[in-house]
Amino acid sequence: AETRDELVVRLLRSSIAEGLGNEAEARRLVDDAITAYPEASRPYVVRATMLLQDPALVEDAVEDLTRAIELNPADLNAYRIRSLAYVQLNRMSDAVRDVLAAVEANPDNAELRIGAASRLIDLGRQDDAADVIDAGLERQGSSLQLLVSAGQMFAELGQPRRAVQYLEPAWEQTGDPAIAARLVGSLLEFPRPDVRRARQIAGSQRLSADDYRVLLMRASVESQAENTGELERLLTEAYRLVRDQGPELQAWASQLVALLGSGEAAVDYLRRLDRSERLSPWTRFSMARILAEEDDGRAESLRVLDRLVDGTRDSAVRLAAIRFRSLVHYDLEDYQRAADDMQRVLDVTPNDPDTLNNLAYTRAVHLGEADLAVPLAERVAELRPNNRGVLDTLGVVYLRAGRAADAISPLERALGVASSDLDRASVLIHLAEARLETGNTPGAENAAQEARAILAENPEASDALRDELDPILDEIRRR
């Protein structure tokens, strides 16, 4: 017990040193722990995690993890981390082998089995993932956890037949409406939709007709069958159940476009519904949102929003309408009205991060009010210190305020937390500009060329990003 406690203390000290940014000391402490306790698996895993931060040391990390597994063949974390290391080395078969080995070492752990299946799917091994789930079902019988998780995974993967294979027994076992909805959705996604079976499940007596979600499920079947009259009847019946319930009503409205086939059809239906049922304020707000997605619907969307802002007594609807109206004005390039609405939102909710961020960007980039934008951008960065978009906005605001040197730190932090190539490209463009303004032309060129490469590989990237990058590249060439 004393030995184990001493080892824990050594590793804790290493973790503290790493957290303080002293990587050399952290590594030394782990090395000492391995020397003192060569038969303990944990220090090898800790050191491997450190080594993986350097692409040149991935092989060394694999050696440490292999030693950890030799010492403790049931160490799930060692298998998991080594599989990630193998992916870095492009040794996919070895990565798959480790995922499977972790399951074999702990065969009755359902959560581990589900996680392994998900990992195998990420590695492109869908058949192996299904085998892992099937083996678990053989061991544990009709495990509801395995059935539902596998059904959801394969549904999200776009493999409806496999999803049905797991969701059908889960539905038979439980009669749960959420499982029924997933099952019906998968049946309707077959290359030849199984409308008959989907209608049978959706119409089951096990499901309550007083649940709007059940009615929407039935509506999805009639939508697939192009039975418009019954579809609209079900939508109206569901609406009557939720018309005065904000979140549920929004969930109902969010499905109208998909079920009715287009935004125009959804708006036409809502207009007819208004004549028979008198739309609630939240429903009118939903209609405004649908209209705003149509190229020729934004003017009418603004009229609906104006009436809600000026006429409704529901403060929550009014605030939502003002917030959304600001976005419509922004899309229409009416930046002053957009900023006015954003400020109205902040008058009610002064620490709303999204609105603070939007207003800071609008003022700095579109209204030439960078000095007014700085405190807004700094405030939202305090609220969301690790958000890529927020840090990017702060950098842009500093740039527009003539403070390029201050922009570099938040932009470098934004680059570190960017989760996609296109997000990286946006930050890199602004970072190139900041470096150029501070006289670091080589650093600016590195950032700009990396952004250029990303945009070349992503033709779907917006023209706005290319328009931002081109003058920076031109200026770098001139220098």
Side-chain angles (χ1 to χ4, degrees):
E2 291 179 2
T3 299
R4 184 170 60 250
D5 289 345
E6 186 177 343
L7 174 59
V8 169
V9 170
R10 286 175 182 261
L11 295 179
L12 181 59
R13 287 173 178 165
S14 172
S15 177
I16 292 170
E18 187 176 24
L20 293 173
N22 192 341
E23 296 178 4
E25 176 66 6
R27 173 70 181 276
R28 184 191 68 76
L29 289 166
V30 173
D31 289 344
D32 289 348
I34 289 173
T35 300
Y37 303 98
E39 300 305 312
S41 65
R42 178 62 184 160
Y44 290 99
V45 177
V46 172
R47 187 167 70 181
T49 303
M50 294 178 179
L51 294 172
L52 283 174
Q53 296 175 25
D54 184 343
L57 299 177
V58 177
E59 291 280 9
D60 293 336
V62 168
E63 288 185 15
D64 272 353
L65 292 162
T66 300
R67 179 57 179 156
I69 291 168
E70 289 171 354
L71 293 168
N72 181 8
D75 189 334
L76 302 180
N77 205 32
Y79 283 115
R80 181 185 66 81
I81 297 173
R82 193 171 69 172
S83 77
L84 296 174
Y86 281 140
V87 169
Q88 289 190 47
L89 295 170
N90 202 30
R91 292 168 58 178
M92 297 305 177
S93 294
D94 289 332
V96 169
R97 187 196 65 219
D98 269 1
V99 173
L100 296 173
V103 175
E104 291 168 5
N106 300 268
D108 295 320
N109 186 326
E111 290 185 2
L112 171 63
R113 194 172 287 273
I114 292 165
S118 177
R119 179 77 178 126
L120 289 166
I121 286 172
D122 290 342
L123 293 170
R125 303 291 286 262
Q126 289 88 355
D127 289 343
D128 288 328
D131 289 344
V132 164
I133 296 296
D134 293 344
L137 291 171
E138 288 178 9
R139 290 184 64 90
Q140 301 177 34
S142 297
S143 164
L144 186 61
Q145 185 181 13
L146 287 176
L147 290 171
V148 173
S149 296
Q152 185 69 18
M153 279 192 287
F154 284 110
E156 292 174 354
L157 195 62
Q159 294 193 5
R161 291 196 183 278
R162 265 193 170 138
V164 167
Q165 172 187 338
Y166 300 109
L167 293 171
E168 188 111 46
W171 154 249
E172 297 294 346
Q173 189 180 140
T174 65
D176 182 86
I179 295 174
R182 293 191 191 116
L183 175 56
V184 166
S186 293
L187 289 165
L188 295 178
E189 288 175 6
F190 282 4
R192 293 183 61 184
D194 192 344
V195 174
R196 183 196 62 80
R197 179 60 178 145
R199 184 179 281 126
Q200 183 183 37
I201 293 166
S204 170
Q205 295 298 313
R206 302 171 77 182
L207 299 171
S208 170
D210 292 330
D211 186 332
Y212 81 98
R213 295 167 298 181
V214 172
L215 294 173
L216 288 176
M217 186 198 320
R218 294 174 180 172
S220 70
V221 178
E222 303 311 323
S223 175
Q224 182 67 56
E226 299 183 355
N227 188 352
T228 305
E230 181 63 8
L231 164 60
E232 292 195 1
R233 185 192 70 78
L234 288 164
L235 286 174
T236 301
E237 197 173 331
Y239 172 72
R240 289 169 181 155
L241 294 174
V242 300
R243 62 176 296 157
D244 297 318
Q245 303 172 39
E248 291 82 358
L249 180 62
Q250 293 301 302
W252 172 85
S254 70
Q255 298 195 39
L256 291 180
V257 174
L259 292 173
L260 290 164
S262 69
E264 182 181 1
V267 170
D268 287 344
Y269 165 72
L270 287 170
R271 287 176 179 139
R272 292 194 299 277
L273 186 65
D274 192 22
R275 290 194 289 271
S276 64
E277 300 288 333
R278 184 71 179 170
L279 297 183
S280 68
W282 275 117
T283 315
R284 293 187 191 282
F285 175 68
S286 296
M287 188 165 117
R289 290 175 65 96
I290 295 170
L291 282 163
E293 294 298 319
E294 301 296 304
D295 290 338
D296 58 352
R298 290 175 180 168
E300 185 178 354
S301 175
L302 284 175
R303 288 194 292 272
V304 174
L305 291 167
D306 288 344
R307 288 194 292 271
L308 286 171
V309 171
D310 297 334
T312 184
R313 296 180 180 178
D314 188 325
S315 59
V317 177
R318 187 185 310 111
L319 184 62
I322 296 170
R323 180 183 280 111
F324 187 70
R325 189 174 66 177
S326 75
L327 302 179
V328 178
H329 282 312
Y330 187 93
D331 286 343
L332 292 171
E333 300 183 7
D334 190 344
Y335 299 119
Q336 187 58 62
R337 282 196 173 94
D340 290 343
D341 274 346
M342 292 172 194
Q343 186 58 59
R344 289 183 67 178
V345 173
L346 293 176
D347 289 342
V348 179
T349 57
N351 288 320
D352 181 319
D354 291 334
T355 305
L356 281 167
N357 196 60
N358 292 342
L359 182 56
Y361 187 87
T362 302
R363 282 185 168 167
V365 174
H366 298 296
L367 297 178
E369 301 173 349
D371 289 342
L372 294 177
V374 167
L376 298 171
E378 290 177 339
R379 192 191 324 168
V380 71
E382 292 174 358
L383 295 170
R384 290 183 174 174
N386 298 310
N387 182 282
R388 191 275 313 170
V390 166
L391 293 169
D392 193 17
T393 295
L394 180 58
V396 170
V397 168
Y398 280 144
L399 277 168
R400 297 299 174 268
R403 296 168 56 180
D406 292 332
I408 290 174
S409 176
L411 289 172
E412 289 178 341
R413 285 159 52 206
L415 192 62
V417 297
S419 60
S420 73
D421 280 347
L422 288 180
D423 283 347
R424 284 179 59 81
S426 174
V427 177
L428 283 164
I429 291 168
H430 300 142
L431 184 57
E433 183 181 354
R435 287 174 175 172
L436 198 59
E437 290 292 325
T438 55
N440 181 3
T441 304
E445 184 172 13
N446 289 339
Q449 291 298 344
E450 186 178 348
R452 184 182 187 182
I454 292 172
L455 295 182
E457 293 172 0
N458 293 272
E460 73 279 10
S462 71
D463 291 337
L465 285 177
R466 293 182 173 85
D467 291 342
E468 277 191 273
L469 178 59
D470 287 343
I472 296 172
L473 288 168
D474 290 342
E475 181 62 25
I476 289 171
R477 282 191 288 268
R478 280 195 293 271
R479 294 192 184 189

